[in-house]
Amino acid sequence: MMARQQWSRRAVLGGACACAFHARAGAADARIHPAAMTALAPVGFRPTERDERGMWQSCERLEEEIAGSNLLLPSPAFQRYAKQVVDRLVGDRAGETRVYVVHDPDFNASMFPTGMMLVNTGLLARMRDEAQFASILGHECGHYLRRHSLSRWRDTKAKTGVMAFVQAGASVGAGITAGAGGAGANWMDLANAINASLVLSILSYSREHEREADAYGVKLIEEAGYPPEAAAMVWEQLIAERKASAAGRRKKYRDRSLSALSTHPASALRLADLSVSGRELRDIVVTGRRYDAQKARWDAAVAPLRADLLAEQVRLNDPGASLYLVHAMAADGWTGLLRYNEGEVYRLRDEAGDAQRAATSYAAAIGHADAPAEAWRAHGYALLKQGRGEEGKAALGRYLAERPGANDAGMIRFSINQ
């Protein structure tokens, strides 16, 4: 992102999964063997060169802004959990890393040369177990350990002429004040306000960098005791979600990484390489290491966040992707929360037959003990639309009983009294 240029955030992130997974095809994309990967950054590294010190200063300023902003997920428990997963991956470098989970529905994670990692809430909604979560964080750690940000930083400066360090001032203050509660705030707003070249140095890794991070990430999760095929499973799920999203929009699925403008490996090639790397590590490990995806730990950590994560996804107005995610989660068993959100997707899509589909989902939701109070409200209004007045009012009354102080309590009482 160049200073004062207007960039679409989704265009920057859209080619694949931003930092977490970028992609492109090419005959020269020979797979990197994960077992051969080693860190380029020594333990306890601190920069000595001038331009690298400037990049670190920008990153440290950004971390200060994020740590004090309303971008952070207000869950100290999950923040600690995410840090524990990173610590397990990086071992003796645990003291170098800090992890911040931030509100952002995009599937993404990013790691900076100072050891700061940002994890989007949109990532959490798509993971099925801790191993999958670790595979994304491991990929980011791969960028960190191979010092990819520095080479991108230097390349960006050479191509754009942007100064190595641009002090945030009044002319770019909008991004900083956004972190204090302004509209449209995200970490890229803050980063761009501090240093315009910082965003590109983190978000636009080269094809070679992405392949290295893929390989290193698989190695890190395997060494941490996670099944090494977890990374390929995430990529397989992501491709399926994209296809569902395209189908929901009545569009033909196109791998944007195949564009002539893309500089990253193609999705199918990415999936194939990750699959082979996972099998390769299983074949060469002779220590008898036992793998555990830690699904129970993941489910326990995410459970308190699940309702907000699903609501965040549904608000994206991408019914194909949302239904895919809800149904994928339901592979472990339907819950009231999942049925309710299924109904919300249908209600918001509002195509022919969706009103009945939504009503069916809401009715199924209240049949579960964990049905959210909002399911009773939705079920009540669906019944009223069907002319089943007394049943509808009873359902709305159940909602009020569970949410007596709800903001819409007055409107609900009005509906009951009609």
Side-chain angles (χ1 to χ4, degrees):
M1 293 184 183
M2 312 307 296
R4 297 182 176 83
Q5 279 187 316
Q6 298 300 315
W7 283 71
S8 165
R9 182 161 172 261
R10 285 193 176 272
V12 173
L13 294 176
C17 306
C19 298
F21 285 114
H22 290 288
R24 177 185 183 223
D29 290 341
R31 187 176 64 84
I32 296 175
H33 296 278
M37 298 299 295
T38 58
L40 296 182
V43 176
F45 171 80
R46 296 291 298 181
T48 57
E49 298 181 24
R50 182 177 179 181
D51 60 345
E52 191 169 8
R53 289 202 309 270
M55 179 177 61
W56 274 55
Q57 288 175 322
S58 296
C59 293
E60 288 167 349
R61 174 69 184 278
L62 175 60
E63 184 167 354
E64 290 176 4
E65 295 292 340
I66 289 174
S69 76
N70 59 4
L71 298 178
L72 291 180
L73 177 73
S75 173
F78 194 86
Q79 299 281 0
R80 290 192 298 270
Y81 171 77
K83 178 63 165 72
Q84 290 167 4
V85 175
V86 171
D87 289 351
R88 180 172 175 175
L89 293 170
V90 299
D92 60 357
R93 296 173 184 267
E96 301 176 8
T97 64
R98 284 88 53 211
V99 183
Y100 301 90
V101 183
V102 295
H103 281 294
D104 192 315
D106 284 312
F107 178 89
N108 191 27
S110 311
M111 194 161 189
F112 295 75
T114 54
M116 172 180 66
M117 180 183 288
L118 303 182
V119 179
N120 286 7
T121 49
L123 174 64
L124 311 185
R126 290 162 170 81
M127 301 295 96
R128 299 292 169 264
D129 51 45
E130 185 173 295
Q132 291 192 6
F133 184 54
S135 74
I136 304 299
L137 306 192
H139 176 97
E140 294 307 315
C141 290
H143 285 308
Y144 170 69
L145 295 172
R146 297 292 290 183
R147 301 184 67 191
H148 290 160
S149 297
L150 176 61
S151 59
R152 292 306 295 166
W153 172 268
R154 289 171 174 167
D155 185 59
T156 299
K157 285 204 309 172
K159 290 181 178 178
T160 66
V162 177
M163 291 165 45
F165 180 70
V166 182
Q167 181 67 36
S171 63
V172 292
I176 298 299
T177 56
N186 57 70
W187 73 261
M188 279 183 283
D189 293 333
L190 300 179
N192 194 52
I194 292 170
N195 191 310
S197 61
L198 180 60
V199 175
L200 277 180
S201 70
I202 300 299
L203 288 185
S204 59
Y205 291 123
S206 70
R207 173 175 55 195
E208 184 70 12
H209 288 162
E210 291 300 331
R211 289 166 53 233
E212 285 190 359
D214 275 352
Y216 214 148
V218 176
K219 179 181 180 179
L220 289 174
I221 64 171
E222 192 279 332
E223 290 176 342
Y226 298 112
E229 60 270 17
M233 292 173 65
V234 171
W235 195 245
E236 186 175 10
Q237 292 164 191
L238 183 60
I239 293 174
E241 180 188 334
R242 289 178 184 169
K243 290 181 177 180
S245 176
R249 291 178 282 110
R250 294 181 174 82
K251 301 288 186 181
K252 182 178 180 180
Y253 167 69
R254 297 183 183 279
D255 183 357
R256 286 174 291 183
S257 58
L258 292 175
S259 165
L261 298 178
S262 176
T263 58
H264 305 97
S267 300
L269 177 62
R270 202 71 173 278
L271 172 58
D273 282 356
L274 288 168
S275 298
V276 173
S277 291
R279 291 195 299 271
E280 178 182 291
L281 285 175
R282 275 188 178 269
D283 289 341
I284 67 174
V285 171
V286 295
T287 59
R289 184 178 290 128
R290 299 182 64 180
Y291 301 118
D292 188 343
Q294 298 290 347
K295 179 169 176 54
R297 261 173 50 93
W298 172 255
D299 288 342
V302 173
L305 312 175
R306 188 77 73 187
D308 289 339
L309 294 175
L310 284 167
E312 186 177 68
Q313 171 62 35
V314 170
R315 285 194 297 269
L316 292 178
N317 194 27
D318 187 349
S322 296
L323 287 173
Y324 169 82
L325 288 172
V326 167
H327 293 162
M329 292 179 190
D332 293 329
W334 281 101
T335 66
L337 181 64
L338 290 175
R339 283 298 189 192
Y340 166 69
N341 279 279
E342 179 187 49
E344 287 293 275
V345 176
Y346 289 134
R347 179 181 67 83
L348 294 172
R349 187 174 68 176
D350 196 26
E351 295 181 354
D354 277 349
Q356 182 55 50
R357 294 186 187 97
T360 300
S361 296
Y362 296 143
I366 65 166
H368 293 270
D370 72 326
E374 291 75 14
W376 287 97
R377 178 184 61 193
H379 180 54
Y381 278 121
L383 290 172
L384 291 179
K385 289 179 181 179
Q386 295 170 12
R388 298 163 64 181
E390 293 307 312
E391 294 174 88
K393 292 177 181 180
L396 293 178
R398 174 67 178 269
Y399 169 69
L400 284 180
E402 296 193 17
R403 293 281 192 276
N407 292 334
D408 60 352
M411 182 180 68
I412 298 296
R413 292 190 182 95
F414 178 82
S415 298
I416 292 174
N417 292 328
Q418 288 299 300

